[in-house]
């Protein structure tokens, strides 16, 4: 083996010496044979001639030796590459078009794959992240009624039982959102963090790079005043001061001791919808007794668990469900759930799956779209190479006649395709880097793991792989027909007749049909997404968005210690905001429309109680007077909340409650049983308002509007309607709030139009990318059809000349060429529609208000493709109609 490697090295890097040795050896052998022949009585010239015949020819022997020595394959490949470069250089326009077209396709695929890899494929940045799972609870009877869907947050009391009786897990931790005000650093600011159980950091396999993590005893109430900062918050708020460890900072006017700082690389695994932000700090939960009540309800926490090595998720889930069934059998008296009246189960999902969420479907859709674009590009280029290679039939015939095998010819065509693909990959990689920056820069904030998107080794391997595959498609498909041509026939035809063979024409036509069919699939998907986006936008037009400002307020503890203090603060703020010139209406809410689900509870109307087991869940929204007028929620019947209702037990309900729970009965005067802290009391229904949505692409939510003075909130949103641009009133509104309490933080102010736009951002982003791919595919299909029809016209110039000489009108020629092109287009459209009807079903989860088999969409796709096909065929058809018969006949 070492000798073989040494021989390969010499053959590759010392070619002249090897060739010189071969020449010397052959010369020596020839001289020895010649001397032996001369000894037999032959003359020198005759002896040399006989010796050459016996050797079989010097050059032939050299070729035989070269064929078996190490490195011959590499030498032949290098020779093929050099010849391919010379061949492509003779057709610069074809080469440039092919490389740029491939660059667009490979660049688009690489950029999208980088997103797929960063978000879906790459491992989470935690120790053995494949063992991390998100644990949730679910009550099957209520799963379809809640804003969370089937996955409920976790009851801390139930979690405590899991932790002691589930040996399948090596560690489990609870997480709860935490928002505080931090004063003393200029304008009051809101800081967002997480309350975590003490073993959170060990479970994630992360340690603070400075200081320590939490101790087990710090989970207890009164001993939970430690805090760990993220590196980003430490840098922004404390200028990376290393002396911060051991110092005290005040959050909500409560002292907390900084005990650690997380590494710069640490990124918390966001768990939507409850935790969809990057935390600035962590603190122990400090479990209060009421938090640890187990039962069917109290779903307040997110939970993460780590499986033990060798344990399967199915085993862990079986252990969890055993405990859940035991809890369900006891019922829940505090929440009026009889024993056995409801089922309680656990769910277990990989942590990465939860983080990615619905983005997975959209990413896969974009990956498929990008792959189809690359396939269409390959088909287009294969068609171009068919036309180009047809002109090379004479060259191939000559090479075949000289002894070139089909394998040798295919290898040459592969070398040409490889050069085109690699050049396209190089430029495509540059386009991918630029495109990826734009994709990430303009990506909605809700897309998960954006920070992990980059072009890494796996992406480069992907680029090389698709480039090699592209080379195979480009080279072998057009060349297979050419290398099977009989040399004698090709030499007779000298190219033109050969290029116009029926088999080649059918292959080119088939490629165009396939191109149009693939384009039809992409267009159908894009139009369905566009129509879906239109429905979403229309569904949110009930709000008067242009003159409404929403300012989030974070109240200090003294303003939320009692309901009366919270009410006093909110009343003063409303009075001062309403006094600002140009303000028409103002009100408070605990949750804006389209901002996701909030607090949910039972819908129980005293006059129309629900049947056993049929209780509906609805969203409880705390609002003040003026809120409905400020947002623009229409009143259906009854009246809205007013200042005169202060201190009264009244509510306003949405019309979906009337429709689903009261079966259309007039709700005014009825009483809803609801109360905070599981203490229901009858509250008179005074009004019915139009439905709102918690998300732009979800159905309306059952909503109960409770006066905000009923339940004190630490975070409320002030909604203000103005007579002018609301952003211009932002400073005045902020000063009005601070005039009541200067320590109130205002973390964010934005218009209602911005809120609506943000809720539609991901859908708009997906639709834009899908439409861009579809438009590109449409352009490629048009170019492909134009190219084939133009080529057919050029091949039939003589025939067209004869037709016109015999009396055919230009309109006849025009119709003949158009029929050829439209026939191909219609075949492609029919095949594409059939395929699209099956493929678009996979988009059903991405659609809103439109079915994946929407007939109007497919009619529009068919008409659009047919119209583009007519335009693509019209240009060569007009050229054909202008053919001069005499010129055409002389040309032949």
């Amino acid at each position: 083996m070492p000798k073989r490697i040494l021989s390969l090295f010499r053959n590759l890097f010392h070619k002249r010496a090897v060739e010189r040795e071969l020449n010397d050896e052959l010369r020596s052998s020839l001289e020895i044979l010649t001397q032996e022949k001369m000894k037999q009585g032959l003359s020198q010239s005759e002896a040399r001639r006989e010796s050459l015949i016996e050797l079989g020819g010097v050059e032939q022997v050299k070729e035989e030796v070269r064929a078996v020595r190490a490195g011959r394959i590499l030498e032949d490949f290098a020779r093929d590459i050099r010849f391919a470069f010379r061949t492509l250089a003779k057709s610069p326009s074809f080469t440039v078009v092919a490389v740029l077209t491939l660059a667009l396709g490979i660049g688009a695929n690489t950029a999208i794959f980088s997103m797929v890899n960063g978000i879906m494929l790459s491992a989470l940045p935690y120790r053995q992240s494949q063992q991390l799972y998100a644990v949730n609870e679910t009550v099957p009877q209520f799963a379809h009624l809640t804003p969370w869907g089937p996955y409920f947050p976790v009851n801390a009391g139930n979690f405590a039982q899991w932790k002691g009786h589930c040996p399948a897990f090596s560690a489990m931790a609870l997480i709860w959102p935490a928002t505080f005000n931090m004063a003393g650093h200029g304008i009051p600011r809101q800081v967002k963090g997480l309350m975590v159980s003490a073993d959170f950091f060990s479970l994630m396999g992360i340690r603070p790079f400075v200081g320590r993590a939490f101790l087990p005893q710090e989970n207890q109430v009164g001993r939970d005043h430690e805090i760990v900062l993220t590196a980003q918050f430490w840098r922004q708020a404390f200028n990376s001061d290393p002396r911060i460890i051991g110092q005290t900072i005040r959050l909500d006017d409560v002292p907390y001791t900084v005990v650690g700082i997380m590494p710069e690389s640490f990124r918390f695994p966001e768990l939507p919808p409850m935790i969809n932000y990057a935390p600035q700090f962590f603190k122990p939960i400090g479990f209060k007794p009421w938090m640890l009540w187990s039962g069917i309800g109290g779903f307040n926490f997110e939970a993460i668990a780590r499986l033990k090595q060798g344990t399967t998720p199915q085993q862990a889930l079986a252990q969890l469900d055993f405990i859940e069934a035991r809890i369900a059998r006891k019922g829940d008296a505090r929440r009026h759930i009889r024993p056995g009246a409801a089922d309680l189960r656990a769910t277990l999902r990989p942590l990465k799956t939860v983080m990615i969420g619905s983005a997975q479907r959209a990413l896969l859709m974009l990956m498929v779209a990008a792959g189809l674009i690359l396939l269409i590009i390959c088909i287009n280029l294969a068609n171009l190479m068919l036309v180009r290679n047809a002109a090379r039939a004479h060259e191939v015939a000559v090479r075949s006649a000289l002894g070139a095998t089909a394998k040798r010819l295919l290898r040459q065509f592969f070398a040409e395709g490889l050069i085109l693909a690699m050049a396209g990959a190089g430029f495509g990689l540059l386009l991918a880097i630029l495109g990826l920056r734009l994709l990430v820069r303009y990506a909605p904030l809700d897309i998960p793991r954006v920070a992990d998107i980059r072009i890494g080794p796996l992406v480069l391997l992907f680029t090389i792989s698709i480039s090699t595959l592209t080379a195979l498609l480009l080279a072998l498909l057009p060349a297979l027909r050419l290398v099977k041509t009989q040399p004698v026939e090709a030499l007779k035809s000298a190219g033109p007749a050969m290029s116009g063979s029926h088999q080649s024409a059918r292959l080119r036509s088939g490629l165009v049909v396939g191109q149009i069919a693939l384009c039809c699939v992409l267009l159908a998907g894009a139009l369905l997404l566009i129509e879906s986006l239109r429905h979403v936008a229309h569904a949110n037009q009930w709000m008067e968005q242009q003159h409404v400002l929403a300012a989030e307020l974070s109240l200090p503890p003294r303003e939320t210690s009692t309901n009366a203090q919270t009410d006093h603060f909110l009343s003063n703020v409303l009075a001062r905001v309403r006094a600002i010139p140009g303000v028409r209406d103002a009100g408070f809410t605990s949750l804006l429309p389209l901002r996701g689900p909030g607090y949910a509870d039972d819908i129980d109307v005293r006059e129309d109680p629900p049947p056993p087991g049929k209780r509906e869940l609805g969203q409880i929204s705390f609002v003040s007077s003026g809120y409905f007028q400020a947002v623009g929620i229409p009143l259906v019947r009854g009246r809205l909340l007013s200042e005169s209702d202060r201190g009264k037990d009244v509510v306003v309900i949405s019309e979906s409650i009337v429709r689903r729970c009261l079966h259309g009965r007039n709700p005014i005067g009825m009483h809803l049983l609801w109360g905070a802290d599981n203490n229901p009391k009858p509250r008179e229904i005074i009004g019915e308002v139009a439905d709102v949505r918690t998300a732009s692409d979800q159905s309306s939510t059952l909503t109960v509007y409770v006066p905000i003075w009923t339940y004190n909130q630490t975070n409320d949103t002030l909604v203000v309607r103005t007579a002018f641009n609301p952003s211009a009133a932002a400073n005045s509104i902020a000063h009005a709030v601070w005039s009541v309490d200067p320590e109130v933080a205002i973390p964010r102010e934005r218009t209602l139009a911005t809120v609506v736009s943000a809720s539609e951002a991901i859908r708009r982003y997906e639709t834009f990318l899908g439409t861009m791919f579809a438009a590109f595919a449409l352009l490629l299909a048009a170019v492909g059809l134009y190219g084939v029809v133009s080529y057919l016209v050029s091949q039939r110039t003589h025939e067209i000349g004869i037709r016109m000489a015999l009396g055919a009108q230009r309109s006849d020629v025009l119709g003949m060429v158009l029929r050829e092109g439209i026939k191909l287009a219609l075949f492609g459209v029919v095949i594409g529609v059939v395929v699209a009807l099956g493929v678009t079903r996979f988009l059903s989860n991405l659609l809103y208000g439109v079915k994946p088999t929407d007939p109007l969409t497919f009619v529009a796709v068919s008409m659009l493709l047919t119209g583009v096909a007519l335009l693509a065929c019209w240009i060569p058809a007009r050229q054909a109609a202008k053919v001069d018969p005499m010129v055409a006949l002389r040309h032949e």
Side-chain angles (χ1 to χ4, degrees):
M1 191 65 180
K3 291 183 178 180
R4 186 73 176 173
I5 295 174
L6 181 61
S7 177
L8 174 63
F9 181 81
R10 291 187 72 251
N11 292 336
L12 291 178
F13 300 102
H14 299 282
K15 289 183 180 180
R16 292 185 179 180
V18 172
E19 286 294 320
R20 191 163 50 247
E21 291 175 2
L22 177 61
N23 289 333
D24 292 343
E25 186 175 350
L26 284 174
R27 190 182 304 110
S28 175
S29 299
L30 183 61
E31 289 177 358
I32 292 172
L33 280 175
T34 302
Q35 292 296 327
E36 290 179 355
K37 300 291 183 185
M38 289 175 64
K39 289 178 182 180
Q40 295 174 7
L42 296 177
S43 64
Q44 183 176 3
S45 60
E46 289 177 345
R48 183 175 181 80
R49 178 175 175 276
E50 290 292 333
S51 299
L52 287 171
I53 293 173
E54 187 173 334
L55 282 174
V58 174
E59 293 302 323
Q60 287 84 345
V61 172
K62 287 182 180 179
E63 283 300 318
E64 290 175 2
V65 173
R66 290 170 186 147
V68 297
R69 70 188 182 192
R72 177 57 186 262
I73 295 177
L74 296 177
E75 289 180 14
D76 288 346
F77 183 70
R79 192 178 295 113
D80 289 339
I81 292 294
R82 288 195 297 271
F83 185 77
F85 269 115
R86 291 196 298 270
T87 302
L88 292 173
K90 294 177 182 178
S91 307
S93 57
F94 165 80
T95 303
V96 170
V97 169
V99 169
L100 291 180
T101 307
L102 275 174
L104 288 171
I106 293 176
N109 273 268
T110 303
I112 296 300
F113 181 74
S114 298
M115 295 186 69
V116 172
N117 178 58
I119 296 174
M120 292 176 53
L121 303 182
S122 62
L124 298 179
Y126 313 115
R127 175 177 58 85
Q128 296 179 329
S129 62
Q130 74 280 2
Q131 296 178 348
L132 294 174
Y133 284 78
V135 189
N136 294 93
E137 294 186 271
T138 185
V139 182
Q141 291 85 351
F142 301 149
H144 66 289
L145 305 174
T146 68
W148 306 293
Y151 304 108
F152 291 16
V154 168
N155 177 301
N158 299 349
F159 174 87
Q161 296 189 41
W162 301 345
K163 196 168 183 183
H165 300 89
C166 286
F169 299 105
S170 60
M172 304 180 80
L174 282 180
I175 305 165
W176 201 13
T179 302
F180 296 109
N181 283 1
M182 187 172 72
H185 298 271
I187 295 176
R189 60 186 298 183
Q190 182 190 69
V191 290
K192 288 188 173 184
L194 293 174
M195 297 183 188
V196 298
S197 52
D199 46 2
F200 168 77
F201 296 111
S202 60
L203 176 143
M204 301 300 293
I206 301 291
R207 296 183 59 185
F209 84 97
V210 177
R212 64 172 177 85
F214 300 136
L215 304 175
Q217 60 268 26
E218 290 169 351
N219 273 338
Q220 301 172 15
V221 177
R223 305 185 67 179
D224 58 337
H225 285 195
E226 285 73 29
I227 191 170
V228 172
L229 308 178
T230 63
Q232 295 78 15
F233 185 52
W234 174 52
R235 184 176 60 252
Q236 294 167 4
F238 303 101
N239 297 318
S240 302
D241 184 1
R243 296 170 298 178
I244 193 67
I245 300 296
Q247 292 188 18
T248 298
I249 63 175
R250 302 188 74 83
L251 301 178
D252 277 358
D253 209 25
V254 176
Y256 290 90
T257 302
V258 179
V259 297
I261 299 169
M262 296 303 293
E264 184 75 35
S265 60
F266 175 75
R267 296 289 184 275
F268 178 78
E270 296 181 12
L271 303 172
M274 194 170 177
I275 304 172
N276 55 5
Y277 59 87
Q280 296 168 294
F281 65 87
F282 298 88
K283 70 171 291 293
I285 292 180
F287 290 101
K288 298 178 176 63
W290 65 267
M291 291 182 179
L292 297 175
W293 292 343
S294 66
I296 306 175
F299 303 119
N300 297 315
F301 296 86
E302 293 289 350
I304 298 177
R306 179 180 290 276
L307 282 182
K308 278 185 180 177
Q309 195 73 33
T311 304
T312 66
Q314 292 75 18
Q315 292 172 330
L317 190 58
Q319 294 176 8
L320 290 171
D321 279 340
F322 178 79
I323 299 171
E324 295 287 82
R326 187 173 61 194
I327 295 171
R329 284 195 296 270
K330 296 179 181 178
D332 194 330
R334 289 182 304 276
R335 300 177 180 95
H336 309 286
I337 299 176
R338 301 188 313 275
D343 297 320
L344 184 64
R345 297 174 187 168
T347 64
L348 204 61
R349 294 174 293 164
L351 185 60
K352 186 164 69 172
T353 300
V354 177
M355 291 176 62
I356 297 171
S358 60
Q360 180 173 352
R361 295 190 301 269
L363 286 171
L364 291 176
M365 177 201 74
L366 292 176
M367 195 69 205
V368 170
L372 290 177
I373 285 291
L374 183 62
L375 184 57
I376 291 174
I377 286 174
C378 290
I379 292 174
N380 214 341
L381 291 178
N383 234 332
L384 287 176
M385 293 193 79
L386 269 175
V387 175
R388 176 175 175 270
N389 290 349
R392 299 175 64 185
H394 187 70
E395 171 202 334
V396 172
V398 172
R399 295 182 66 185
S400 298
L402 293 176
T405 63
K407 179 180 178 182
R408 181 70 181 82
L409 293 171
L410 287 175
R411 196 172 68 194
Q412 180 59 55
F413 284 112
F414 174 74
E416 293 177 16
L418 185 63
I419 290 174
L420 292 175
M422 289 304 167
F427 286 107
L429 196 57
L430 296 177
L431 291 176
I433 293 172
L434 176 62
L436 190 60
R437 289 179 181 174
L438 295 175
L439 287 173
V440 172
R441 180 178 179 181
Y442 293 103
L445 296 177
D446 293 337
I447 290 184
R449 304 190 68 190
V450 173
D452 295 327
I453 298 175
R454 61 179 62 87
I455 294 180
L458 184 60
V459 175
L460 292 176
L461 178 63
F462 172 80
T463 304
I464 294 172
S465 300
I466 61 173
S467 302
T468 306
L469 179 62
T470 303
L472 285 169
L473 290 173
L474 286 180
L476 302 183
L477 184 61
L480 283 173
R481 167 56 45 188
L482 197 58
V483 297
K484 293 180 180 179
T485 305
Q486 295 298 322
V488 175
E489 295 298 324
L491 289 171
K492 285 180 183 178
S493 63
M498 183 66 199
S499 64
S501 70
H502 293 298
Q503 291 177 329
S504 296
R506 282 199 299 269
L507 180 57
R508 284 191 293 271
S509 299
L511 290 174
V512 169
V513 169
Q515 231 180 337
I516 294 174
L518 292 175
C519 178
C520 184
V521 174
L522 283 174
L523 271 177
L527 287 183
L528 285 172
L529 290 176
I530 292 172
E531 184 67 9
S532 182
L533 180 62
R534 189 183 69 82
H535 279 278
V536 168
H538 179 74
N540 295 319
Q541 287 180 353
W542 58 268
M543 290 187 292
E544 300 176 17
Q545 308 166 16
Q546 300 306 316
H547 296 283
V548 181
L549 183 74
E552 297 178 11
L553 306 186
S554 182
L555 281 60
R558 63 173 174 272
E559 301 292 3
T560 58
S561 57
T562 65
N563 289 355
Q565 287 174 313
T566 303
D567 183 27
H568 182 263
F569 168 79
L570 298 179
S571 298
N572 286 339
V573 169
L574 282 179
R576 301 199 182 193
V577 169
R578 288 167 178 167
I580 297 174
V583 171
R584 291 182 172 177
D585 291 294
F588 276 102
T589 181
S590 59
L591 184 68
L592 274 175
L594 308 179
R595 290 296 299 147
Y599 167 53
D601 210 335
D602 296 336
I603 304 294
D604 188 358
V605 179
R606 187 176 64 183
E607 288 80 5
D608 194 352
K614 300 294 184 180
R615 192 182 300 272
E616 301 265 13
L617 286 180
Q619 181 167 278
I620 308 298
S621 182
F622 302 98
V623 300
S624 72
S625 63
Y627 165 72
F628 299 103
Q629 297 90 329
V631 176
I633 301 177
L635 176 67
V636 177
R637 54 185 153 188
R639 64 181 180 84
L640 301 174
L641 288 173
S642 66
E643 290 297 321
S644 62
D645 292 315
R646 193 172 297 278
K648 298 178 182 178
D649 293 325
V650 295
V651 294
V652 174
I653 62 175
S654 64
E655 58 182 338
S656 56
I657 293 179
V658 176
R659 186 170 57 253
R660 288 169 53 180
C661 302
L662 301 178
H663 314 291
R665 293 176 57 188
N666 187 347
I668 307 304
M670 291 185 179
H671 294 80
L672 184 81
L673 298 175
W674 180 84
D677 300 322
N678 300 305
N679 182 27
K681 62 171 66 174
R683 301 171 186 274
E684 183 184 357
I685 300 173
I686 62 171
E688 176 189 348
V689 295
D691 288 329
V692 299
R693 302 165 185 268
T694 56
S696 61
D697 54 359
Q698 293 181 2
S699 58
S700 302
T701 306
L702 304 178
T703 308
V704 177
Y705 297 96
V706 179
I708 203 165
W709 55 78
T710 302
Y711 192 60
N712 58 326
Q713 296 278 112
T714 57
N715 295 282
D716 292 304
T717 300
L718 174 63
V719 185
V720 182
R721 176 177 294 281
T722 64
F724 47 85
N725 183 0
S727 298
N731 288 334
S732 300
I733 293 170
H735 284 96
V737 172
W738 290 329
S739 67
V740 178
D741 190 332
E743 293 189 13
V744 173
I746 307 178
R748 184 160 50 178
E749 292 177 302
R750 51 186 175 167
T751 63
L752 198 55
T754 304
V755 173
V756 174
S757 178
S759 71
E760 301 169 357
I762 290 183
R763 182 175 290 277
R764 194 163 48 246
Y765 186 69
E766 296 166 353
T767 303
F768 168 74
L769 291 178
T771 304
M772 182 181 67
F773 285 140
F776 189 36
L778 184 63
L779 176 62
L780 289 172
V783 170
L785 184 60
Y786 167 79
V788 167
V789 175
S790 295
Y791 181 75
L792 291 174
V793 168
S794 67
Q795 293 300 307
R796 298 177 66 180
T797 301
H798 182 63
E799 174 196 337
I800 293 171
I802 294 176
R803 285 175 179 269
M804 297 186 73
L806 294 176
Q809 301 297 314
R810 293 193 174 188
S811 58
D812 299 327
V813 174
L814 188 70
M816 179 188 70
V817 176
L818 284 176
R819 281 193 298 274
E820 293 280 350
I822 293 301
K823 188 189 300 181
L824 296 178
L826 290 177
F827 273 129
V829 169
V830 171
I831 295 172
V833 167
V834 172
V835 174
L837 283 171
V839 172
T840 52
R841 295 179 186 275
F842 295 101
L843 296 178
S844 57
N845 290 329
L846 296 174
L847 302 179
Y848 176 83
V850 60
K851 294 181 179 179
T853 55
D854 178 50
L856 291 178
T857 297
F858 285 92
V859 169
V861 168
S862 302
M863 293 178 63
L864 179 60
L865 271 173
T866 304
V868 171
L870 274 172
L871 182 62
C873 298
W874 177 260
I875 300 174
R878 287 194 62 191
Q879 293 173 346
K882 293 179 181 179
V883 168
D884 187 335
M886 297 307 297
V887 174
L889 294 172
R890 279 201 303 269
H891 171 73
E892 186 62 24

